[in-house]
Amino acid sequence: MLEKQPGVLTEFILNHAEALKRWQDRFCDMAGVFACCLGISGESLTEFSGNPSELEVIRKYVTDIRIHNIFKRVTESQLEDQAVEITDIPNLRLAAVAIKKGQILSCVWIVCAIVTDAEYEAEFYHIDPITNFHYQTTESKYYKSLDLLRFSMITIMQLSDSRDEEMQKNASTQMSIKEMEEAFHRAEATTEIVSLLDSDDEINSIMLQVITKVSNYLDISNAFVASVNNENNFMDIVVQWNAIGTAPIFETKEDHDRCWFMNSNKTFAVSSGTAMNAGEREQLDNMGVKAVVSMPIFVNGVIGFYICLTENRKARVWTIDEIKFINDAIRILQSIITKRIQKNSLASSFQSLQAILDNVGSSIYVRDMKTNLLLFANRSLRNYFARELQEGVLEELFEGNVPAKSHSGMYEIHYEARDRWYDLYYTHINWVDGRLVSLCAIYDVTEKKLYQKRIEQQAYTDFLTGLYNRMCCERDLARYIDETQQKGTKGALLYLDLDDFKRINDSLGHQYGDVLLQNVASSLTSIAGIGDSCYRMGGDEFVVIVPPDSYYRIDNILNEIRNVFSTPWYLKDEDYYCTMSMGIVEFPDNGESVSELIKRSDIVMYEAKKGGKNRIARYSDSIGSSSDRRFSLEKGLKSGTYNNFSEFEVYYQPIIKVEGKKTECVGAEALLRWNSDRLGMVPPSEFIPLADYIGLIAPLGDFVIRRACENCRKWNKQSGRDMFVTINLTASQLMQTNILDMIKQNVEENNLKPSNLKLEITESLAINDLERTEKTMLALRNMGVGLVLDDFGDGYSSLNSIRVLPFEMIKISQKFVQNLEEDKYIQRFVHAVNIMAEAAGEELVVEGIETQAQFDILTEEKVKLIQGFYFDRALSESDFAGKYIKPAGTKSKKK
């Protein structure tokens, strides 16, 4: 960070704010910029200079916050003392210039400008560029004005540094301020001279302006520029100047005797009273000169001119600061002359220029901007565009789309007649004869364009399905959003996720999963109105954009998508059903940004999936309000899972065996509970579907199996009994390739009898993929692990599953027995299932029993295993152990 302490310059600015503001006004008017000066703490030392009405527009976009931020950027960095930033206006620039002495900050200048030749991508701006301002400049001149500003301020500091330190300490304040005022005026004069670097005036006019400004600053009477002839010792007067009330030194311009003080290749100063011979004194007296400074200007390495500054009115003794100022001014003039000579040298060699342009790798032509006459066409253009030259259509073909007030730039052209692509670079310059012309360079970029299209196709296409990918979706969605906003129309975003795709992918193999994704992609693109707006977002997720011009038939599109997923997919010589869950958002009603719409459509799709899959949901305010909750849950799930499951617990609901009037807890169902540090106790119905959706159900399931096995072993050892524990398996767990190894490892590590562990599998999961399910369950049964058919009666109610699959228990769904007391059909169903289970050698468990009446019905039917709130809710490990795990030799009491 810069050291901030007031220096001499800061003191001067504070004491001479009005003088600084006058200089600032002249600087802004000369440079075509808007500027103000800030102190070392960001306080305003001067207000902005510039046209008031224009400044009012500028300040709408250059806010105090932006000024504060760029001020901090240049004052808090040791590496950056000048910063230039773009703004919301494409051609408005904001700069900060820190004026430092070493690492000590003196002040910061804020400089804004309207840049007439700014290059920008119009698609990134929502505001048009500013034109027709009185104060405006070019990009290069803007940066030069920043350099000029810094130069002026540094000039003041350098002059103040040249003063003796003792004088600054001991002399009066008035003395120091006077010196600072001189430095300020010198900087002002230097600034005016530097501004001539970009002048297009004749060189004689520039010489006259320079000696006028130098003479006015030094308050001398006369000045002239002379060209010398080294062969005959004569000189010609190029320009001369004299103060008001003072006569010019020379009455004619040509063939004057060369002055004796013009014989040095360095600065030569003669003050009043300087010793000289009689001949030298006589020449000065004849010219009326009392003091003179002479300085050479070199042209092509030799002295071409001398600039002479004289005082003819009174005695004058030149100071070191005056000589230094003259040297600085003449060096600037030397630069101007050198630059002009180089320019004229090129202009005088048109043949050389033509030879150069004929051998560049582009087609070039030059057109007079006033007469539209073609002044030059290089060999490449004459060869490749002969017909267009003959027909006189070059300007229409290549410059038809050039903005009216644009002086330079580049854009792309597709020439349909040739089916070729060209890059056109254009600029307005002064031609060799001084005329203002348009120079156009044309590059054939057809091959590059075709290559870019191939690369773009690869970048925007999903390799597997041939659909567009996520990146292309975001690009197209942004375009459609803009279209609906401009035209007042509507569009829709459909987010699809395949239901149970992982089951198909894992059971049939990835190659058949890929075939399914390809078939889905082909079916979607065949639907009218969305053929060009289907995208694969990754995995089994797809997005369909209904463009504004197809929105009128969105209901038909949705019906056709439903039909696609209502029929089976033919995979591996068999039919497989794979449904989808879809979330729908409309734009711009439900969002105006790409990220917002995709996020909301994903949330709605999850709501559809959570509601039972194979569903379509539309975005609403209620769903939107729950999105924060959903993302908090997702974040908490990931954090809790990756943090060694510290927030998760396994609860146990007892399974009671009924024998006559005796009841005994013989087992328990292990149930996962989440007690979040931030969200509190989260219901399983809320977090289990989300965990399954985001891929965390497998590690959470493994955690439940591990904890349940540990506790079952511990409780049986404590009680000397043979209790069992049941655990629910999801589709994701059952399809894990390591499920058998993981179960075996937990059983063996806990020295647990395999029959003490029973895995609950839903009826729908068991028969959806019967071949693979049966294979896995037979392997588990052979291992000795018990299998429970869960939620029987809630799904397919397939009696075949009882017969074919190796279950040892059947659980009737609690939803099915809710009306057990009143519904005779349900009572007969329980009776029938109990008889079938007994005949098949399987035990029946009825869950969800809450009342005495329900319990009495089941005891009449001789149902032996009952589970529900009638006995107990799910309990924590410690509560369950305290209530149901008794020391060996004791039994649970009757209810």
Side-chain angles (χ1 to χ4, degrees):
M1 184 178 292
L2 294 174
E3 184 179 346
K4 297 180 179 180
Q5 60 183 41
V8 177
L9 179 60
T10 309
E11 180 182 351
F12 171 73
I13 291 173
L14 292 172
N15 292 331
H16 295 78
E18 291 185 7
L20 175 64
K21 186 62 167 63
R22 286 195 300 272
W23 177 85
Q24 176 183 302
D25 290 341
R26 286 194 292 271
F27 171 77
C28 291
D29 188 62
M30 175 192 70
V33 298
F34 306 84
C36 71
C37 187
L38 304 181
I40 59 176
S41 299
E43 73 278 11
S44 178
L45 300 181
T46 63
E47 296 297 326
F48 266 102
S49 293
N51 183 289
S53 60
E54 295 176 353
L55 188 56
E56 185 178 350
V57 176
I58 295 294
R59 292 291 276 132
K60 288 181 181 179
Y61 302 99
V62 179
T63 62
D64 290 342
I65 293 176
R66 291 208 64 157
I67 292 174
H68 174 72
N69 289 339
I70 199 171
F71 173 85
K72 290 181 63 179
R73 179 175 165 186
V74 297
T75 57
E76 295 183 358
S77 169
Q78 294 184 354
L79 302 177
E80 190 176 36
D81 57 9
Q82 178 171 303
V84 179
E85 297 179 352
I86 59 175
T87 66
D88 294 335
I89 302 293
N91 65 334
L92 174 59
R93 301 288 183 267
L94 169 65
V97 180
I99 306 301
K100 311 170 188 174
K101 179 181 178 183
Q103 289 301 311
I104 299 176
L105 178 68
S106 293
C107 64
V108 175
W109 285 88
I110 302 298
V111 185
C112 307
I114 299 300
V115 178
T116 57
D117 59 349
E119 296 183 2
Y120 58 92
E121 297 290 340
E123 61 191 75
F124 297 122
Y125 290 90
H126 300 292
I127 305 174
D128 292 333
I130 294 175
T131 57
N132 300 322
F133 262 34
H134 174 71
Y135 276 35
Q136 57 186 27
T137 184
T138 64
E139 192 92 42
S140 62
K141 289 183 179 179
Y142 178 51
Y143 282 97
K144 287 180 180 178
S145 67
L146 299 181
D147 293 339
L148 182 57
L149 177 62
R150 181 188 306 281
F151 174 79
S152 301
M153 292 298 103
I154 291 175
T155 298
I156 294 175
M157 288 195 294
Q158 288 176 340
L159 186 58
S160 65
D161 289 343
S162 68
R163 295 296 183 246
D164 183 77
E165 182 179 358
E166 190 64 28
M167 178 181 292
Q168 293 184 9
K169 288 181 178 179
N170 300 327
S172 67
T173 302
Q174 197 64 36
M175 178 65 180
S176 178
I177 296 302
K178 181 179 179 182
E179 291 174 351
M180 294 302 296
E181 286 177 339
E182 290 177 359
F184 185 81
H185 291 312
R186 173 179 166 182
E188 183 178 1
T190 305
T191 299
E192 293 177 354
I193 295 171
V194 171
S195 68
L196 296 173
L197 281 167
D198 292 318
S199 174
D200 292 326
D201 292 347
E202 294 290 337
I203 193 64
N204 288 7
S205 174
I206 293 176
M207 288 180 176
L208 181 59
Q209 291 178 65
V210 170
I211 63 174
T212 300
K213 294 178 186 300
V214 172
S215 300
N216 283 329
Y217 168 72
L218 296 175
D219 190 25
I220 59 176
S221 63
N222 296 79
F224 63 90
V225 179
S227 63
V228 294
N229 189 325
N230 293 321
E231 294 181 359
N232 57 22
N233 216 28
F234 286 133
M235 66 178 187
D236 295 329
I237 305 305
V238 180
V239 292
Q240 65 174 327
W241 173 90
N242 54 280
I244 297 174
T246 304
I249 296 176
F250 304 99
E251 295 181 357
T252 61
K253 289 186 174 182
E254 299 177 349
D255 297 334
H256 294 278
D257 289 333
R258 184 168 179 169
C259 298
W260 62 269
F261 48 78
M262 294 166 55
N263 283 318
S264 173
N265 59 1
K266 296 181 180 179
T267 301
F268 192 86
V270 179
S271 298
S272 299
T274 299
M276 63 189 78
N277 61 41
E280 292 169 344
R281 170 60 65 188
E282 181 181 2
Q283 188 177 40
L284 288 183
D285 289 342
N286 291 338
M287 296 171 64
V289 173
K290 302 185 183 304
V292 62
V293 175
S294 173
M295 180 176 292
I297 294 180
F298 292 86
V299 178
N300 295 327
V302 298
I303 297 174
F305 305 95
Y306 278 94
I307 290 190
C308 301
L309 307 167
T310 71
E311 175 53 64
N312 292 21
R313 298 169 300 192
K314 57 187 177 181
R316 178 84 176 228
V317 176
W318 305 108
T319 66
I320 293 176
D321 285 338
E322 288 172 339
I323 299 300
K324 185 177 179 182
F325 170 75
I326 294 170
N327 272 292
D328 291 342
I330 303 311
R331 274 202 300 268
I332 296 170
L333 179 58
Q334 176 77 70
S335 298
I336 296 171
I337 292 173
T338 301
K339 180 180 176 182
R340 188 63 60 88
I341 289 172
Q342 292 171 346
K343 180 179 178 180
N344 291 339
S345 177
L346 180 62
S348 65
S349 183
F350 178 75
Q351 290 182 346
S352 298
L353 177 61
Q354 182 177 5
I356 293 171
L357 296 180
D358 273 340
N359 288 281
V360 297
S362 62
S363 299
I364 296 175
Y365 72 86
V366 177
R367 175 181 60 83
D368 188 308
M369 296 190 63
K370 287 186 178 180
T371 65
N372 283 337
L373 291 176
L374 188 70
L375 302 181
F376 172 78
N378 73 345
R379 182 187 300 117
S380 174
L381 189 130
R382 295 193 303 271
N383 290 339
Y384 291 111
F385 297 99
R387 181 169 56 84
E388 289 78 6
L389 268 172
Q390 186 177 4
E391 295 174 357
V393 296
L394 284 178
E395 180 184 358
E396 177 185 351
L397 174 61
F398 292 113
E399 298 182 76
N401 293 321
V402 173
K405 296 183 179 181
S406 177
H407 295 284
S408 63
M410 184 277 286
Y411 64 90
E412 191 175 73
I413 296 170
H414 181 226
Y415 189 8
E416 293 184 2
R418 294 174 179 245
D419 193 22
R420 306 292 291 180
W421 291 89
Y422 301 99
D423 278 350
L424 173 72
Y425 293 82
Y426 65 91
T427 186
H428 297 170
I429 63 170
N430 290 320
W431 193 229
V432 291
D433 57 0
R435 281 188 283 186
L436 184 64
V437 300
S438 172
L439 185 148
C440 296
I442 303 156
Y443 294 84
D444 189 330
V445 293
T446 305
E447 296 304 318
K448 174 184 172 184
K449 190 73 176 177
L450 295 175
Y451 176 74
Q452 287 176 339
K453 283 191 173 182
R454 289 195 295 270
I455 296 299
E456 183 176 306
Q457 182 72 13
Q458 294 173 7
Y460 287 139
T461 303
D462 174 60
F463 178 76
L464 176 64
T465 62
L467 295 181
Y468 298 122
N469 60 15
R470 185 184 192 97
M471 182 165 45
C472 186
C473 174
E474 294 176 353
R475 181 199 66 177
D476 292 351
L477 182 56
R479 176 166 54 84
Y480 286 130
I481 293 171
D482 288 342
E483 181 181 338
T484 58
Q485 291 174 331
Q486 292 170 6
K487 298 181 179 180
T489 54
K490 278 188 177 183
L493 179 69
L494 319 180
Y495 204 115
L496 289 74
D497 182 86
L498 305 188
D499 299 328
D500 298 326
F501 172 76
K502 179 173 175 54
R503 175 178 57 81
I504 294 176
N505 200 42
D506 290 345
S507 60
L508 299 184
H510 291 288
Q511 67 272 32
Y512 289 99
D514 291 348
V515 171
L516 175 58
L517 294 175
Q518 291 166 346
N519 290 342
V520 169
S522 177
S523 299
L524 290 176
T525 54
S526 67
I527 298 174
I530 59 172
D532 267 346
S533 55
C534 297
Y535 311 84
R536 183 184 176 210
M537 304 298 276
D540 60 347
E541 296 181 347
F542 297 84
V543 159
V544 174
I545 298 177
V546 181
D549 56 2
S550 299
Y551 182 78
Y552 71 95
R553 63 182 310 274
I554 187 171
D555 291 336
N556 293 335
I557 291 172
L558 293 176
N559 287 332
E560 292 185 54
I561 294 176
R562 286 192 187 97
N563 293 338
V564 164
F565 290 94
S566 65
T567 55
W569 306 92
Y570 189 70
L571 302 169
K572 205 175 183 180
D573 300 325
E574 291 187 35
D575 287 338
Y576 287 83
Y577 283 89
C578 181
T579 58
M580 62 83 199
S581 299
M582 181 195 296
I584 303 174
V585 295
E586 296 181 347
F587 55 87
D589 294 351
N590 299 144
E592 298 180 353
S593 73
V594 170
S595 59
E596 184 179 29
L597 288 170
I598 292 178
K599 174 183 173 182
R600 288 181 174 177
S601 64
D602 184 29
I603 292 170
V604 180
M605 183 270 292
Y606 170 72
E607 292 294 325
K609 191 175 287 288
K610 190 172 68 172
K613 302 182 181 180
N614 196 23
R615 295 172 183 265
I616 294 177
R618 290 178 178 268
Y619 181 82
S620 65
D621 291 339
S622 59
I623 292 178
S625 63
S626 68
S627 62
D628 290 341
R629 170 73 174 174
R630 180 256 171 113
F631 280 98
S632 295
L633 287 171
E634 182 174 334
K635 183 178 179 181
L637 274 173
K638 291 178 180 178
S639 174
T641 302
Y642 299 146
N643 194 24
N644 201 27
F645 307 98
S646 59
E647 298 180 356
F648 294 96
E649 303 175 63
V650 180
Y651 276 48
Y652 300 86
Q653 187 174 33
I655 299 174
I656 306 298
K657 186 173 184 179
V658 180
E659 291 183 327
K661 294 185 178 182
K662 294 181 180 180
T663 59
E664 180 184 13
C665 178
V666 293
E669 180 178 0
L671 300 165
L672 182 63
R673 295 292 183 264
W674 180 22
N675 189 6
S676 169
D677 292 339
R678 293 190 306 108
L679 303 172
M681 189 65 77
V682 183
S685 60
E686 189 172 10
F687 78 82
I688 293 292
L690 180 59
D692 194 16
Y693 177 65
I694 63 177
L696 293 179
I697 200 65
L700 287 172
D702 294 349
F703 167 72
V704 173
I705 292 172
R706 184 169 63 254
R707 294 292 295 165
C709 288
E710 291 172 357
N711 284 319
C712 187
R713 184 258 308 158
K714 179 174 65 176
W715 293 337
N716 282 341
K717 184 178 180 180
Q718 290 173 356
S719 64
R721 297 168 58 199
D722 197 25
M723 295 180 65
F724 63 85
V725 62
T726 69
I727 301 169
N728 290 286
L729 279 190
T730 65
S732 300
Q733 290 174 282
L734 191 61
M735 294 303 174
Q736 284 179 253
T737 56
N738 67 337
I739 182 68
L740 297 174
D741 293 336
M742 190 268 293
I743 295 293
K744 183 178 180 181
Q745 179 183 351
N746 277 284
V747 169
E748 291 178 350
E749 285 181 353
N750 288 284
N751 197 24
L752 185 70
K753 288 173 58 177
S755 59
N756 292 147
L757 174 63
K758 303 186 188 302
L759 304 176
E760 298 188 18
I761 301 171
T762 62
E763 185 182 3
S764 59
L765 174 60
I767 67 173
N768 260 348
D769 188 1
L770 191 58
E771 180 181 347
R772 182 168 179 178
T773 302
E774 184 178 15
K775 182 179 178 181
T776 303
M777 289 196 294
L778 284 172
L780 288 168
R781 195 73 185 88
N782 292 334
M783 194 187 300
V785 173
L787 298 175
V788 182
L789 179 61
D790 194 19
D791 289 342
F792 186 78
D794 189 35
Y796 293 85
S797 298
S798 172
L799 299 179
N800 188 52
S801 62
I802 299 178
R803 182 182 63 82
V804 174
L805 299 173
F807 294 110
E808 66 176 51
M809 280 186 182
I810 300 172
K811 263 193 177 184
I812 292 181
S813 169
Q814 60 179 337
K815 296 180 184 177
F816 197 78
V817 299
Q818 283 176 349
N819 299 318
L820 179 63
E821 302 165 52
E822 299 87 7
D823 196 323
K824 296 296 183 182
Y825 171 77
I826 296 175
Q827 294 174 14
R828 288 193 294 271
F829 177 80
V830 171
H831 177 78
V833 174
N834 194 22
I835 292 174
M836 286 187 295
E838 187 175 351
E842 299 165 348
E843 293 185 282
L844 178 66
V845 182
V846 180
E847 60 179 340
I849 300 306
E850 299 182 356
T851 67
Q852 181 71 47
Q854 291 174 333
F855 175 75
D856 291 342
I857 293 171
L858 293 181
T859 54
E860 273 185 38
E861 295 293 342
K862 294 184 174 52
V863 175
K864 295 181 179 179
L865 296 175
I866 299 175
Q867 178 182 348
F869 289 177
Y870 176 72
F871 292 104
D872 236 327
R873 296 175 178 271
L875 302 172
S876 66
E877 293 178 12
S878 58
D879 289 346
F880 183 88
K883 188 170 184 179
Y884 293 104
I885 307 303
K886 306 300 181 183
T890 63
K891 294 184 179 179
S892 299
K893 295 179 180 180
K894 293 187 290 182
K895 179 167 176 74

